[in-house]
Coordinates of all heavy atoms in Angstrom, one line a residue:
N154 N -10.3 9.0 -10.1 CA -11.7 9.4 -9.6 C -11.6 9.8 -8.1 O -12.2 10.6 -7.7 CB -12.6 8.1 -9.7 CG -13.1 8.0 -11.2 OD1 -12.8 8.9 -12.0 ND2 -13.4 6.9 -11.5
N155 N -10.9 9.0 -7.3 CA -10.8 9.2 -5.9 C -9.4 9.6 -5.3 O -9.0 9.5 -4.3 CB -11.3 8.0 -5.0 CG -12.6 7.6 -5.3 OD1 -13.6 8.3 -5.1 ND2 -12.9 6.4 -5.8
R156 N -8.7 10.3 -6.3 CA -7.3 10.8 -6.0 C -6.5 9.8 -5.4 O -6.3 8.6 -5.8 CB -7.5 12.1 -5.2 CG -8.3 13.2 -5.9 CD -8.5 14.4 -5.1 NE -7.3 15.3 -4.9 CZ -7.3 16.4 -4.2 NH1 -8.4 16.9 -3.8 NH2 -6.2 17.0 -4.1
E157 N -5.9 10.1 -4.2 CA -5.0 9.2 -3.4 C -5.6 7.9 -3.1 O -4.9 6.8 -2.8 CB -4.3 9.8 -2.4 CG -5.2 10.2 -1.2 CD -5.9 11.7 -1.3 OE1 -5.6 12.2 -2.4 OE2 -6.4 12.1 -0.4
K158 N -6.9 7.9 -2.9 CA -7.7 6.8 -2.5 C -7.6 5.6 -3.5 O -7.8 4.4 -3.2 CB -9.1 7.0 -2.1 CG -9.3 8.0 -1.1 CD -8.8 7.5 0.2 CE -9.1 8.5 1.5 NZ -8.6 8.0 2.8
D159 N -7.4 6.0 -4.8 CA -7.3 4.9 -5.8 C -5.7 4.6 -6.2 O -5.6 3.8 -7.2 CB -7.9 5.5 -7.2 CG -9.4 5.4 -7.0 OD1 -9.9 4.7 -6.1 OD2 -10.1 6.1 -7.7
T160 N -4.9 5.0 -5.5 CA -3.5 4.8 -5.8 C -3.0 3.4 -5.2 O -3.6 2.9 -4.2 CB -2.5 5.8 -5.3 OG1 -2.7 5.8 -3.8 CG2 -2.8 7.2 -5.7
L161 N -1.9 2.9 -5.9 CA -1.4 1.6 -5.4 C -0.8 1.8 -4.0 O -0.9 0.9 -3.1 CB -0.2 1.2 -6.3 CG -0.6 0.6 -7.6 CD1 0.4 0.6 -8.6 CD2 -1.2 -0.8 -7.4
F162 N -0.3 3.0 -3.6 CA 0.1 3.3 -2.3 C -1.0 3.0 -1.2 O -0.8 2.4 -0.2 CB 0.6 4.7 -2.2 CG 1.0 5.2 -0.8 CD1 2.1 5.0 -0.1 CD2 0.0 6.0 0.0 CE1 2.4 5.4 1.2 CE2 0.2 6.3 1.2 CZ 1.4 6.0 1.9
N163 N -2.2 3.5 -1.5 CA -3.2 3.5 -0.6 C -3.8 2.0 -0.5 O -4.1 1.5 0.6 CB -4.4 4.4 -1.0 CG -5.6 4.3 0.0 OD1 -5.6 4.9 1.0 ND2 -6.5 3.6 -0.4
N164 N -3.7 1.3 -1.5 CA -4.3 -0.1 -1.6 C -3.5 -1.1 -1.1 O -3.9 -2.1 -0.5 CB -4.6 -0.4 -3.1 CG -5.7 0.5 -3.6 OD1 -6.6 1.0 -2.8 ND2 -5.9 0.6 -4.9
I165 N -2.1 -1.0 -1.3 CA -1.1 -2.1 -0.8 C 0.0 -1.7 0.1 O 0.7 -2.5 0.3 CB -0.6 -2.8 -2.1 CG1 0.4 -2.0 -2.8 CG2 -1.6 -3.3 -3.1 CD1 1.2 -2.7 -3.9
K166 N 0.0 -0.5 0.6 CA 1.0 0.0 1.5 C 1.1 -1.0 2.7 O 2.2 -1.5 3.0 CB 0.8 1.4 2.0 CG 1.8 1.9 3.0 CD 1.4 3.1 3.7 CE 2.4 3.6 4.8 NZ 2.4 2.5 5.9
L167 N 0.0 -1.2 3.3 CA 0.2 -2.1 4.6 C 0.6 -3.5 4.3 O 1.4 -4.1 5.0 CB -1.3 -2.1 5.3 CG -1.7 -0.7 5.7 CD1 -3.0 -0.8 6.6 CD2 -0.6 -0.2 6.8
L168 N 0.1 -4.1 3.2 CA 0.5 -5.3 2.7 C 2.0 -5.5 2.4 O 2.7 -6.4 2.8 CB -0.2 -5.8 1.5 CG -1.7 -6.3 1.7 CD1 -2.5 -6.4 0.4 CD2 -1.8 -7.5 2.5
Q169 N 2.5 -4.4 1.7 CA 4.0 -4.4 1.4 C 4.7 -4.2 2.7 O 5.8 -4.9 2.9 CB 4.2 -3.2 0.5 CG 5.8 -3.1 0.2 CD 6.0 -2.0 -1.0 OE1 5.5 -2.1 -2.0 NE2 7.0 -1.2 -0.7
D170 N 4.3 -3.4 3.6 CA 5.0 -3.2 5.0 C 5.1 -4.6 5.7 O 6.2 -4.9 6.2 CB 4.1 -2.3 5.9 CG 4.4 -0.8 5.4 OD1 5.4 -0.6 4.7 OD2 3.6 0.0 5.8
C171 N 3.9 -5.3 5.6 CA 3.9 -6.6 6.2 C 4.9 -7.6 5.6 O 5.6 -8.3 6.2 CB 2.5 -7.2 6.2 SG 2.3 -8.9 7.0
Y172 N 4.9 -7.5 4.2 CA 5.8 -8.4 3.6 C 7.2 -8.1 3.8 O 8.1 -9.1 4.0 CB 5.5 -8.3 2.0 CG 6.2 -9.3 1.2 CD1 5.7 -10.5 0.8 CD2 7.5 -9.0 0.7 CE1 6.3 -11.4 0.0 CE2 8.1 -9.8 -0.2 CZ 7.6 -11.1 -0.6 OH 8.2 -11.9 -1.4
E173 N 7.5 -6.9 3.8 CA 8.9 -6.5 4.0 C 9.5 -6.8 5.4 O 10.6 -7.3 5.7 CB 9.2 -5.0 3.7 CG 9.0 -4.6 2.2 CD 9.2 -3.2 1.9 OE1 9.2 -2.4 2.9 OE2 9.4 -2.8 0.8
A174 N 8.5 -6.7 6.4 CA 8.9 -6.9 7.8 C 9.0 -8.5 8.0 O 9.9 -8.8 8.7 CB 7.7 -6.5 8.8
L175 N 8.1 -9.2 7.3 CA 8.4 -10.7 7.3 C 9.7 -11.2 6.7 O 10.4 -11.9 7.4 CB 7.2 -11.4 6.5 CG 7.3 -12.9 6.4 CD1 7.3 -13.5 7.6 CD2 6.2 -13.3 5.4
M176 N 10.1 -10.6 5.5 CA 11.3 -11.1 4.9 C 12.4 -10.6 5.7 O 13.5 -11.3 5.8 CB 11.3 -10.4 3.5 CG 10.2 -10.8 2.5 SD 10.4 -12.7 2.3 CE 12.0 -13.0 1.6
S177 N 12.3 -9.3 6.4 CA 13.5 -8.9 7.2 C 13.6 -9.8 8.3 O 14.8 -10.3 8.8 CB 13.2 -7.5 7.7 OG 13.1 -6.6 6.5

């Protein structure tokens, strides 16, 4: 419906970045 706005990338990218930085 909202193209890239509805993707997992748009929704959790920053959270995944935070998680990976924390684990690193």
